[in-house]
């Protein structure tokens, strides 16, 4: 798989290598050891979520208070979405910068979104199904919502929409990025970097079976 950092620091685009034959395709969607090797981020999923969305549905922009914080690996397992990640960490050199990627079931491309970043997407097809691997369990009341149509962010939803997006009442009423910062809802860049460093430190004391070892070769087709 190819793992590349985007214009948003600590957000990585993961493109798998598809193995094809007469039956179809097989690919590794995610590997924690490869992500750690390339990015330095330690990511151990504790919860898996799915959402299905009709075409034109816009979900976002969402983050999680720190603590507890939450990193995600996001992929589209049916249909296609335009996925967007924004750096909303005050003090970050890329504060307010966004990156967008088309995620679709055919390519298997996914996004790793570190703690403190905001994530959202708009469905490009009907019945688009998105998978989220999450580093922490859901804790009610910890989600941070930012208005996805904030003109200061100027996110590229219009490129994929022919009409108005379908938003939840919660997302439509979410504060702007500037207001969320004023309310103290956003984890700062320094707080997030300190968290990433603690995760790497804790990894050094993990059992060998978790922290890696010899790197195996590519999988056989099942």
């Amino acid at each position: 798989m190819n793992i590349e950092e985007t214009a948003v620091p600590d957000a990585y685009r993961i493109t798998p290598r598809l193995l094809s034959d007469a039956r179809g395709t097989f690919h590794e969607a995610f590997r924690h050891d490869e992500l750690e090797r390339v990015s330095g981020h330690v990511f151990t999923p504790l919860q898996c979520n799915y959402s299905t969305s009709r075409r034109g549905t816009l979900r976002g922009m969402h983050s999680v208070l720190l603590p507890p914080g939450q990193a995600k690996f996001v992929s589209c397992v049916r249909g296609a979405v335009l996925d967007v990640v924004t750096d909303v960490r005050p003090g970050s050199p890329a504060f307010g910068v966004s990156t967008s990627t088309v995620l679709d079931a055919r390519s298997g491309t996914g996004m790793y979104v570190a703690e403190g970043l905001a994530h959202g997407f708009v469905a490009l097809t009907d019945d688009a199904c998105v998978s989220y691997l999450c580093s922490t369990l859901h804790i009610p009341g910890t989600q941070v919502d930012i208005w996805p149509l904030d003109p200061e962010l100027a996110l590229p939803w219009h490129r994929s929409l022919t009409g108005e997006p379908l938003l939840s009442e919660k997302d439509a009423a979410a504060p702007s990025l500037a207001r969320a910062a004023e309310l103290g809802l956003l984890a700062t860049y320094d707080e997030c970097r300190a968290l990433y460093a603690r995760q790497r430190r804790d990894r050094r004391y993990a059992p060998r079976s978790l922290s890696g070892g010899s790197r195996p070769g590519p999988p056989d087709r099942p």
Side-chain angles (χ1 to χ4, degrees), residues 4-111:
E4 57 178 332
E5 190 169 25
T6 65
V8 175
D10 305 304
Y12 287 79
R13 184 179 298 108
I14 301 177
T15 307
R17 181 169 64 92
L18 302 184
L19 304 177
S20 303
D21 61 22
R23 301 169 298 170
T25 65
F26 174 84
H27 67 272
E28 289 183 339
F30 172 78
R31 286 185 56 146
H32 79 95
D33 57 336
E34 284 295 283
L35 177 67
E36 185 175 348
R37 181 183 67 82
V38 173
S39 71
H41 281 274
V42 177
F43 178 66
T44 303
L46 296 184
Q47 182 170 324
C48 182
N49 303 324
Y50 291 91
S51 68
T52 59
S53 303
R54 57 180 286 190
R55 183 173 184 173
T57 295
L58 200 170
R59 298 180 183 266
M61 299 293 290
H62 301 149
S63 187
V64 172
L65 293 172
L66 188 66
Q70 187 175 86
K72 304 175 187 175
F73 173 71
V74 183
S75 59
C76 184
V77 297
R78 184 174 62 241
V81 302
L82 178 68
D83 191 85
V84 175
V85 180
T86 302
D87 194 337
V88 297
R89 302 167 296 183
S92 170
F95 183 73
V97 173
S98 299
T99 187
S100 61
T101 305
V102 173
L103 306 183
D104 61 83
R106 181 181 296 273
S107 70
T109 300
M111 285 295 301

